[in-house]
């Protein structure tokens, strides 16, 4: 019989595991970028501009400079020189264009643009002085309203790296749509959303006596930030270390370096002091956002709902200086089998900052439109919405003409529907009630790409038998620390307390930004590889030990458990791992490993995560109030490495979807060209009272092709499709089809 | 945030004297709104007078059978005070509909009366605002005004008063006790807050040097028929799009007394005594409730994004009066609307 105590002490991949960084986080021991100190630390406060477009005529810093404690006020007039070429400012995930350069010149490109940095001996003095910096402007006519420029949309001439443009059309979608007996043709929109992670953007630059910089930055990629800083400021890589050991949420806004990083390093270099710059909550609304996107969906089907035509066209807003792109329309050609498909994606320029990736970028928008339209088609064709999805189920990817590495979406539909009780649904809108509330049941499909990115990791074993696994990846609250420690513990059969995970430091083995749901699968695969190599090195060393029990076996003949290497065939013959290290006259032995996508697999296969979401809403129709009372989200994402953290990821995605569906909206005053509700009182995200039952199911999905470890990634799939399922439930409850998120009281009453 | 002097008053006399000495000073109690506004450079007092040590934190019975609530009684203590909960459940309910437990622990009765609008432009010194900077203009009128007023607006300002507590106090016919350079006086709740007119920078009729000492509730019993319904963009921790406080006395199937006040719709808690008069002597039901709602909204005007509030307010008034008449007041914990 298995020894329970041992099982608990020695975790394995797939076992629900508590966060190893949890105690640090709940006790305040985890330090974030704005919480590091230096002896002579200066504090920077950003002054944000108030017009959307034009030039700064004058900027008066004299009153600010007169405040006691103020050391310098940097503006475009006195900023130090930085790199000339655009390429130096382009980070790993930059879209095509000319990246914004803080304090570069007198030009104003968007409202809220940083126009000065006040640096003082105290935060209070800097803030006080910042209010006294007075700029006068020569405003120029601006346009921030996408509707005003959507007629001038264009196909982006340069594609953004890593973002697949829409596939070539297949069949003849227009002709097929024209003659389809059942049709849906509608326009869908989602309001501008700002990422709003809990932790504001912050950078603390600690400058040592020799001028070397340790930069504590809020970022999703320490090495991306490091490359940006060395490029822009002409520094050597060996003189700049970027640390992001803890990140208080990011949702994509931390993929690109933000302006406080530039300003903090600029000030530290110019003043030869350590400097910290923290943005305010309001200034968080001067950064990137999820772009407003106008989507038109046309679906044509046979009477039973079999799709014969899909057309999906999107126009998205971007800035005047970069062509931000994301995958909005491709999902419509991927998710369902259809021979006549035409997909197009265009941009239109407005006078705002460049939009950026925000949790499931593109898919959150595109799949909302697609899955809303599918629900409309179900009613138009008179078939059950779930049945419609099954009727059009895609067994291979028609966009790329490739097979799926795995696709257990049918199980998602089946298990989700069973758990939710979908079969008890009455089809007619407005047919279900609970007292005076209308009840609505809606469903949708979710999909997100599954991939790994080239990532390195190191495994290191000390003479005391303690394992450290490390990589320059980030943990933005997703559970990377835990999954790395769990992987190391699993590889060596060690209790998790005997494993330390290190990440969030640019000096660690190379890793990409944490995004795209690839971190867990990539990093843990690299950790497995590093551990394998370290185990082989340990085996070799152990064979050379005097009286080694391993002299006559090869590597496959040994096992690792509880801090020992043993003969697989005779567990009594074992050596402590620490002893092996000591026998090599070392304090530690280490090995590096890596993981990367397999190009041969990629030629034949594509990989995606999928989900089926079922939602119950209750609507007080007279007052327009919608409550989401129940959500079941069934997810197929390959092997689930840590079901506990994975569930949390899905819960977070679902709650974020509730926000997008019902609450989140950044209001722009187009007269002023400015976002107005820039605080947490007026920019609404769900609160506890909004969130009721959420049930997460992970269906079995064996996958040996996406990543060596068998995982796909779950950071984003929870949000995709969930907004549509909520909107579809609102339709079922009320008979009102709302195609413009968020679904607020006024839209229900309209 | 501008630097400021800080003084602490140890008794009411000291506070009044300190205020008289520097009329541009601001009183600080809970600070839940003032400190934010100072950080935003919207309020830039040169001096802050801390009154937290003043003996104004008790709730006492009045000779006429009502209750007198000290200006420093916290919103939480007030909401959960057994006399308030039993005799003025409408006030408890309105308090619990507002803010969050943390804020209610800190926010005071007097401070709640003086909280300022949540208009986006008022908070953003990068934009014009007649309330913040008289004469600079009101971008809300043709801009982002989803949360703005539909009643009693002016061409200078369409901001709303954000309080929940005050809506219930207006309906309960409370009185505000103040002390100023000229001594003590009381102000009827109706007269305490003002409409924007051409002086939107002035939220209330307090005179320079006035200090709120208490709010008095008269001895009236609406415990059988009352409700506070707050409609907002999420289920908790959001300011009202529209809120309604209703209190009725019903005898033999007829309304003998009615109180009706709205929040989120005007520059002040919007009590309508004409609508109350219409309800009096009527039979409770959709017909009389709808007529009262129509009366309240007779002069309502939308500005685009907030135009839906007119219809929403009408529906909310009818529902709240029904909840009150049925004796099923809205729960502030169960989010299902009754």
């Amino acid at each position: 019989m298995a020894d329970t105590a041992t099982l608990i002490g020695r975790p394995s991949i797939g076992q629900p595991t508590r966060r190893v960084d949890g105690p640090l986080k709940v006790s305040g021991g985890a330090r974030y970028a704005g919480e590091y100190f230096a002896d002579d630390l200066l504090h920077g406060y950003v002054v944000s501009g108030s017009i959307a477009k034009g030039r700064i005529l004058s900027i008066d810093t004299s009153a600010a400079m007169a405040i006691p404690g103020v050391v310098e006020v940097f503006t475009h007039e006195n900023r130090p020189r930085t790199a000339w070429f655009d390429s130096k400012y382009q980070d790993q995930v930059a879209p095509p264009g000319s990246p914004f350069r803080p304090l570069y010149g007198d030009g104003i490109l968007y409202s809220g643009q940083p126009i000065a940095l006040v640096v003082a001996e105290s935060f209070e003095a800097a803030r006080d002085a910042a209010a006294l910096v007075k700029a006068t402007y020569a405003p120029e006519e601006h346009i921030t309203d996408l509707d005003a420029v959507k007629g001038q949309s264009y196909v982006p001439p340069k594609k953004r790296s890593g973002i697949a443009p829409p596939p070539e059309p297949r069949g003849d979608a227009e002709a097929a749509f024209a003659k389809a007996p059942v049709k849906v043709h509608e326009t869908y929109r989602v309001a501008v959303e700002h990422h709003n992670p809990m932790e504001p953007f912050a950078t603390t630059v600690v400058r040592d006596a020799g001028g070397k910089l340790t930069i504590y930055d809020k970022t999703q990629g320490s090495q991306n930030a490091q490359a940006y800083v060395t490029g822009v400021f002409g520094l050597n890589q060996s003189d700049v270390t970027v640390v992001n050991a803890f990140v208080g949420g990011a949702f994509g806004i931390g993929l690109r370096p933000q302006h406080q990083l530039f300003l903090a390093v600029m000030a530290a270099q110019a003043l030869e002091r350590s400097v910290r710059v923290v943005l305010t909550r309001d200034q968080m609304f001067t950064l990137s956002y999820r772009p407003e996107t106008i989507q038109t969906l046309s679906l044509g089907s046979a009477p039973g709902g079999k799709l014969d035509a899909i057309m999906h066209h999107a126009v998205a807003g971007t800035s005047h200086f970069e062509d931000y792109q994301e995958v909005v329309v491709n999902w419509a050609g991927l998710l369902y089998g259809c021979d006549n498909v035409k997909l197009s994606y265009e941009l239109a320029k407005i006078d705002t900052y460049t939009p950026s990736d925000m949790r499931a970028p593109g898919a959150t928008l595109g799949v909302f439109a697609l899955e809303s339209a599918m629900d409309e088609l179900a009613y138009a064709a008179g078939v059950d919405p779930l049945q419609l999805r099954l009727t059009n189920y895609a067994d291979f990817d028609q966009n790329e003409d490739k097979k799926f590495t795995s696709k257990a979406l049918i199980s998602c539909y089946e298990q989700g529907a069973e758990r939710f009780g979908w079969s008890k649904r009455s089809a007619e809108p407005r047919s279900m009630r609970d007292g005076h509330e209308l009840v609505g049941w809606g469903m949708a499909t979710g999909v997100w790409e599954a991939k790994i990115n080239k990532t390195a990791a190191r495994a290191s074993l000390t003479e005391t038998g303690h394992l450290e696994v490390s990589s320059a990846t980030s943990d933005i609250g997703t559970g990377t620390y835990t999954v790395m420690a769990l992987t190391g513990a699993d590889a060596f059969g060690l209790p998790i307390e005997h494993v330390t995970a290190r990440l969030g430091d640019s000096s660690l083995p190379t890793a990409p930004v944490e995004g795209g749901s690839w971190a867990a699968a990539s990093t843990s695969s690299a950790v497995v590889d590093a551990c394998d190599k370290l185990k082989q090195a340990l085996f070799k060393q152990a064979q050379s030990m005097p009286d080694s029990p391993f002299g006559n076996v090869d590597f496959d003949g040994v096992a690792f458990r509880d801090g020992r290497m043993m003969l697989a065939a005779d567990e009594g013959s074992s050596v402590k791992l620490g002893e092996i290290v000591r026998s090599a006259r070392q304090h530690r032995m280490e090995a590096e490993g890596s993981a990367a996508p397999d190009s041969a697999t990629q030629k034949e296969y594509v990989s995606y995560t999928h989900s089926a979401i079922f939602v119950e809403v209750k609507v007080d129709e007279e007052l327009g109030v919608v409550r989401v009372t129940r959500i079941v989200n069934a997810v197929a994402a390959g092997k689930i490495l840590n079901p506990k953290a994975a569930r949390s990821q899905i819960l977070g995605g679902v709650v974020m979807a509730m926000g997008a569906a019902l609450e989140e909206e950044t209001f722009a005053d187009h007269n002023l060209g400015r976002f107005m509700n820039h605080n947490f009182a007026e920019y609404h995200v769900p609160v506890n009272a909004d969130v009721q039952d959420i049930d997460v199911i992970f269906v079995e999905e064996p996958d040996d092709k996406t990543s060596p470890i068998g995982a796909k990634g779950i950071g984003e799939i929870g949000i995709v499709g969930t907004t549509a399922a909520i909107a579809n439930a609102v339709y079922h409850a009320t008979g009102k089809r709302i195609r413009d998120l968020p679904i607020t009281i006024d839209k229900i009453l309209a | 945030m501008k630097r400021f002097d800080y003084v602490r008053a140890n008794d009411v006399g000291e506070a009044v004297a300190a205020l008289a000495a520097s009329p541009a000073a601001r009183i600080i109690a809970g600070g839940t709104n003032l400190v934010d506004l100072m950080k935003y450079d919207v309020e830039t007092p040169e001096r802050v007078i801390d009154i937290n040590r003043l003996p104004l934190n008790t709730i006492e019975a009045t000779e006429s059978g009502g209750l007198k609530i000290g200006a420093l009684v916290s919103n939480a203590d007030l909401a959960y005070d057994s006399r308030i909960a039993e005799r003025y459940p409408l006030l408890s309910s309105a308090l619990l509909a507002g803010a969050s437990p943390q804020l209610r622990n800190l926010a005071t009765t007097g401070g709640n009366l003086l909280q300022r609008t949540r208009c986006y432009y008022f908070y953003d010194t990068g934009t014009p605002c007649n309330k913040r900077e008289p004469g600079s203009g009101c971008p809300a009128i043709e801009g982002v005004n989803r949360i703005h007023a539909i009643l009693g607006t002016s061409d200078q300002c369409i901001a709303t008063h954000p309080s929940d507590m005050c809506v219930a106090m207006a309906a309960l016919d409370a009185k505000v006790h103040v002390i100023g350079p000229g001594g003590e006086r009381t102000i009827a709740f109706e007269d305490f807050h003002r409409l924007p007119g051409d002086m939107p920078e002035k939220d209330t009729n307090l005179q320079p040097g006035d200090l709120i000492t208490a709010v008095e509730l008269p001895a009236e019993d609406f415990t059988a028929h009352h409700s506070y319904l707050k409609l907002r963009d999420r289920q908790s921790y959001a300011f009202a799009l529209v809120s309604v406080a209703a209190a009725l006395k019903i005898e033999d199937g007829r309304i003998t007394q009615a109180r009706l006040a709205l929040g989120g719709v005007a520059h002040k808690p919007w009590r309508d005594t004409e609508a109350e008069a219409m309800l009096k002597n009527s039979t409770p039901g959709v017909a009389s409730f709808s007529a009262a709602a129509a009366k309240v909204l007779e002069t309502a005007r939308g500005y685009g994004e907030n135009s839906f509030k007119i219809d929403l307010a009408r529906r909310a008034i009818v529902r709240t009066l029904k909840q009150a008449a049925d004796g099923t007041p809205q729960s502030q914990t169960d989010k299902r609307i009754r």
Side-chain angles (χ1 to χ4, degrees):
Chain A
M1 208 175 95
D3 179 348
T4 317
T6 315
L7 279 179
I8 288 167
R10 194 189 329 119
S12 57
I13 286 167
Q15 191 176 316
T17 306
R18 275 195 268 181
R19 285 171 192 263
V20 296
D21 51 336
L24 273 181
K25 283 189 169 168
V26 298
S27 65
R31 270 212 231 166
Y32 295 83
E35 300 178 322
Y36 286 87
F37 295 88
D39 286 342
D40 61 344
L41 187 67
L42 291 171
H43 299 261
Y45 197 93
V46 177
V47 181
S48 304
S50 58
I51 67 162
K53 191 179 178 185
R55 285 188 309 112
I56 301 170
L57 284 180
S58 68
I59 187 157
D60 182 357
T61 61
S62 54
M65 283 301 293
I67 295 287
V70 171
V71 172
E72 184 60 283
V73 181
F74 292 98
T75 69
H76 66 282
E77 291 173 346
N78 67 348
R79 68 157 175 89
R81 287 211 167 279
T82 51
W84 176 255
F85 293 106
D86 274 344
S87 59
K88 297 288 188 189
Y89 296 81
Q90 267 155 346
D91 63 282
Q92 274 178 25
V93 292
S98 178
F100 174 70
R101 304 177 183 196
L103 310 187
Y104 186 68
D106 63 358
I108 296 286
L109 301 174
Y110 62 96
S111 188
Q113 174 177 323
I115 58 167
L117 180 77
V118 179
V119 184
E121 300 286 352
S122 73
F123 171 78
E124 287 74 17
R127 180 173 60 181
D128 188 3
L132 301 175
V133 174
K134 293 296 172 212
T136 59
Y137 302 97
E140 290 163 24
E141 210 168 301
H142 64 263
I143 298 177
T144 52
D145 183 359
L146 182 62
D147 282 300
V149 293
K150 66 184 176 193
Q152 296 144 45
S153 64
Y154 59 94
V155 176
K158 276 193 187 166
K159 304 304 175 199
R160 180 179 172 208
S161 167
I163 301 298
E168 289 299 307
R170 56 181 185 256
D172 186 343
E174 266 128 3
F177 182 72
K179 63 172 203 257
V182 187
K183 286 182 206 188
V184 170
H185 173 75
E186 296 293 350
T187 298
Y188 303 85
R189 309 179 70 126
V190 180
V192 166
E193 299 161 4
H194 279 78
H195 305 65
N196 276 309
M198 207 60 160
E199 178 200 13
F201 271 85
T203 303
T204 306
V205 181
V206 177
R207 197 173 185 283
D208 75 13
K212 291 197 179 195
L213 305 182
T214 304
I215 301 173
Y216 302 93
D217 186 41
K218 179 191 175 75
T219 173
Q220 287 170 254
S222 56
Q223 291 169 335
N224 191 31
Q226 181 196 34
Y228 174 84
V229 167
T230 53
V232 168
F233 294 96
L235 299 170
N236 293 324
Q237 199 178 322
S238 57
D239 291 339
V240 177
T241 306
V242 176
V243 175
N244 63 333
F246 294 98
V247 181
F251 310 120
I253 186 71
L255 292 171
R256 300 189 69 188
Q258 300 296 339
H259 64 245
Q260 93 291 338
L261 172 63
F262 175 100
L263 293 172
V265 176
M266 175 199 75
Q269 289 298 85
L271 301 172
E272 302 187 348
R273 296 273 298 269
S274 296
V275 177
R276 178 197 293 156
V277 178
V278 182
L279 298 190
T280 65
R281 177 58 58 189
D282 295 74
Q283 287 169 338
M284 296 286 284
F285 288 80
T286 68
L287 308 176
S288 290
Y289 60 91
R290 195 195 291 284
E292 188 171 13
T293 305
I294 303 168
Q295 303 182 61
T296 311
L297 234 304
S298 311
L299 301 178
S301 82
K306 180 80 192 76
L307 283 164
D308 197 36
I310 299 175
M311 290 185 280
H312 191 174
H313 176 66
V315 177
T318 189
S319 70
H320 275 278
F321 45 94
E322 286 173 312
D323 276 355
Y324 171 73
Q325 294 155 60
E326 55 189 20
V327 176
V328 174
V329 297
N330 304 13
W331 314 101
L334 168 80
L335 203 44
Y336 300 110
C338 183
D339 293 334
N340 301 293
V341 176
K342 187 183 165 191
L343 309 171
S344 49
Y345 175 71
E346 298 185 349
L347 301 177
K349 289 196 175 295
I350 49 176
D351 294 302
T352 65
Y353 193 61
T354 309
S356 74
D357 299 320
M358 179 167 167
R359 205 172 199 170
T364 301
L365 304 171
V367 176
F368 160 67
L370 173 66
E371 286 299 283
S372 294
M374 284 295 281
D375 200 61
E376 300 201 49
L377 185 69
Y379 286 96
V383 301
D384 178 83
L386 175 54
Q387 184 53 49
L388 182 72
R389 270 75 175 184
L390 296 170
T391 300
N392 291 290
Y393 196 81
D395 286 321
F396 72 103
D397 173 13
Q398 283 184 286
N399 278 356
E400 296 194 46
D401 206 12
K402 289 178 184 173
K403 291 177 273 190
F404 291 107
T405 57
S406 60
K407 184 177 175 182
L409 177 56
I410 296 273
S411 304
C412 297
Y413 288 136
E414 287 172 353
Q415 292 181 37
E418 170 69 25
R419 183 80 60 88
F420 186 81
W422 184 257
S423 62
K424 298 187 204 72
R425 177 177 183 267
S426 87
E428 275 302 297
R430 308 181 61 82
S431 62
M432 293 169 70
R433 281 185 172 271
D434 176 11
H436 66 275
E437 285 181 308
L438 291 164
V439 176
W441 287 6
M443 61 83 56
T445 312
V447 57
W448 181 245
E449 59 189 0
K451 61 175 176 188
I452 63 168
N453 260 344
K454 194 176 175 201
T455 300
R458 184 182 300 128
S460 165
L461 194 80
T462 68
E463 58 191 330
T464 60
H466 190 91
L467 179 69
E468 180 185 283
V469 292
S470 59
S471 170
T473 187
S474 310
D475 186 336
I476 58 173
T478 42
T480 319
Y481 275 111
T482 310
V483 90
M484 284 174 70
L486 182 59
T487 306
D490 181 277
F492 276 89
L494 282 169
I496 201 160
E497 300 76 42
H498 292 196
V499 185
T500 301
R502 280 187 66 209
L503 52 75
D505 184 324
S506 60
S507 62
L508 294 172
T510 308
V513 291
E514 182 176 43
S517 294
W518 61 60
S522 307
T523 313
S524 57
S525 292
V527 168
V528 168
D529 188 45
C531 288
D532 276 350
K533 289 184 170 136
L534 178 58
K535 280 152 80 172
Q536 290 184 36
L538 286 163
F539 173 66
K540 263 190 194 160
Q541 175 61 31
Q543 280 187 313
S544 72
M545 289 169 75
D547 306 322
S548 172
F550 311 117
N552 297 320
V553 294
D554 57 16
F555 183 64
D556 294 339
V558 300
F560 291 80
R561 198 154 68 241
D562 295 334
R564 306 180 81 91
M565 183 190 298
M566 58 195 68
L567 281 175
D570 171 17
E571 298 190 358
S573 298
S574 70
V575 181
K576 278 186 175 175
L577 298 179
E579 265 177 51
I580 304 174
V581 176
R582 286 196 297 274
S583 77
R585 299 179 186 284
Q586 303 283 336
H587 295 302
R588 55 174 58 213
M589 286 177 64
E590 56 187 38
E592 282 210 17
S594 65
D598 178 55
S599 54
T601 304
Q602 288 183 322
K603 279 195 186 106
E604 255 185 277
Y605 295 93
V606 293
S607 182
Y608 291 90
T609 51
H610 292 88
S611 66
I613 312 103
F614 298 84
V615 171
E616 176 183 85
V617 297
K618 293 189 177 173
V619 183
D620 190 310
E621 191 184 26
E622 190 181 72
L623 299 172
V625 175
V626 176
R627 296 183 303 131
V628 178
T629 47
R630 212 153 56 87
I631 295 187
V632 175
N633 197 331
V635 177
K639 184 189 287 180
I640 301 303
L641 302 173
N642 178 5
K644 193 176 168 81
R647 178 175 173 273
S648 293
Q649 279 293 292
I650 302 301
L651 292 178
V654 166
V655 170
M656 207 162 176
M658 291 174 62
L662 302 174
E663 298 172 7
E664 284 193 54
E665 178 167 17
T666 317
F667 299 111
D669 180 319
H670 295 308
N671 298 322
L672 299 174
R674 187 171 176 91
F675 291 121
M676 287 312 305
N677 52 332
H678 39 73
N679 58 63
F680 270 165
E682 299 301 338
Y683 181 92
H684 295 135
V685 297
V687 294
N688 282 334
D690 293 312
V691 181
Q692 300 188 38
D693 280 359
I694 304 175
D695 202 345
V696 178
I697 300 169
F698 290 111
V699 306
E700 283 281 313
E701 190 182 57
D703 187 310
D704 59 1
K705 297 184 182 67
T706 303
S707 66
I709 203 163
K712 283 183 169 176
I714 32 70
E716 282 150 299
I717 185 66
I719 192 173
V720 186
T722 307
T723 48
I726 294 169
N728 294 343
V730 169
Y731 174 76
H732 183 239
T734 64
K736 284 185 176 144
R737 180 66 68 180
I738 294 163
R739 303 181 182 90
D740 182 4
L741 298 184
I743 301 172
T744 42
I745 284 176
D746 48 313
K747 292 175 188 168
I748 299 280
L749 292 186
Chain B
M1 183 189 251
K2 201 173 140 183
R3 284 169 303 166
F4 56 91
D5 291 338
Y6 166 91
V7 292
R8 185 161 61 207
N10 291 304
D11 58 47
V12 172
E14 264 185 45
V16 172
L19 207 47
S22 49
R26 284 281 184 273
I27 298 287
I28 189 164
T32 55
N33 191 206
L34 180 66
V35 174
D36 281 354
L37 290 166
M38 288 170 69
K39 286 181 180 172
Y40 278 118
D41 289 315
V42 174
E43 294 275 8
T44 52
E46 284 176 4
R47 172 168 291 183
V48 164
I49 304 167
D50 182 348
I51 61 162
N52 281 297
R53 296 220 174 156
L54 270 49
L56 300 174
N57 58 354
T58 57
I59 302 172
E60 287 160 15
T62 62
E63 284 177 9
S64 54
L67 290 176
K68 192 172 168 188
I69 304 156
L72 289 174
V73 174
S74 77
N75 288 181
D77 285 347
L78 184 59
Y80 294 116
D81 181 273
S82 60
R83 292 161 293 177
I84 297 291
E86 282 160 26
R87 291 165 55 193
Y88 302 94
L90 177 66
L91 178 57
S92 270
S93 184
L95 281 159
L96 295 176
S100 66
Q102 295 91 331
L103 285 166
R104 294 195 296 262
N105 282 339
L106 210 52
T108 63
T109 303
N112 194 318
L113 286 167
L114 295 179
Q115 68 178 300
R116 308 208 66 190
T117 184
R118 307 305 299 199
C119 171
Y120 316 115
Y121 300 92
F122 177 68
Y123 274 79
D124 185 344
T125 53
T127 68
C129 169
N130 285 326
K131 183 182 277 298
R132 175 166 36 78
E133 209 182 320
S136 61
C138 175
I141 289 173
E142 288 181 358
V144 182
N145 58 37
R146 172 180 173 74
I147 60 172
H148 287 72
I150 52 170
L151 288 164
T153 54
S154 77
D155 60 4
Q156 298 273 306
C157 180
I158 60 170
T160 61
H161 191 259
S163 173
D164 292 296
M165 181 194 84
C166 290
V167 180
M169 285 181 171
L172 292 169
D173 212 12
K175 277 188 292 200
V176 183
H177 289 249
V178 301
I179 183 166
E184 294 182 42
R185 68 184 197 284
T186 60
I187 305 172
F189 212 85
E190 179 70 17
D191 300 327
F192 184 82
H193 296 98
R194 55 185 299 285
L195 291 177
D198 55 8
M199 272 203 296
E201 69 275 18
K202 256 178 89 62
D203 291 352
T204 72
N205 286 316
L206 284 179
Q207 298 303 310
D210 276 349
L211 175 74
I212 298 169
T213 56
V215 175
E216 184 181 335
L217 300 175
E220 276 178 302
D221 182 5
F222 292 105
T223 53
H225 298 288
H226 67 89
S227 186
Y228 187 76
L229 177 61
K230 180 177 185 181
L231 300 172
R232 47 189 149 179
D233 279 326
R234 61 183 167 196
Q235 305 289 330
S236 180
Y237 199 51
F239 292 95
L241 293 166
V242 170
S243 70
V244 183
L248 301 172
K249 285 181 189 169
I250 301 176
E251 285 167 35
D252 303 327
R254 299 193 78 75
I255 296 172
T256 59
Q257 213 185 133
R259 297 283 175 74
L260 186 60
L262 273 66
V265 295
H267 198 260
K268 60 187 284 189
W270 190 265
R271 183 175 167 197
D272 191 324
T273 50
E274 286 183 47
E276 290 173 1
M278 284 171 61
L279 285 165
K280 194 170 173 180
N281 296 321
S282 74
T283 311
V286 173
S288 58
F289 300 159
S290 296
K295 180 74 204 164
V296 171
L297 297 162
E298 215 170 41
T299 60
R301 176 186 165 187
Y303 290 84
E305 290 181 359
N306 72 345
S307 298
F308 75 97
K309 281 192 178 185
I310 301 173
D311 187 33
L312 182 64
R314 183 180 60 73
R315 292 159 181 258
I317 292 168
V318 173
R319 179 70 71 87
T320 314
L321 285 167
K322 183 176 185 313
Q323 292 175 334
D326 292 351
T328 55
Q330 180 59 40
S331 164
Q332 301 304 343
T333 48
D334 173 10
K335 299 296 174 182
R336 184 175 170 275
I337 297 171
R338 289 177 182 171

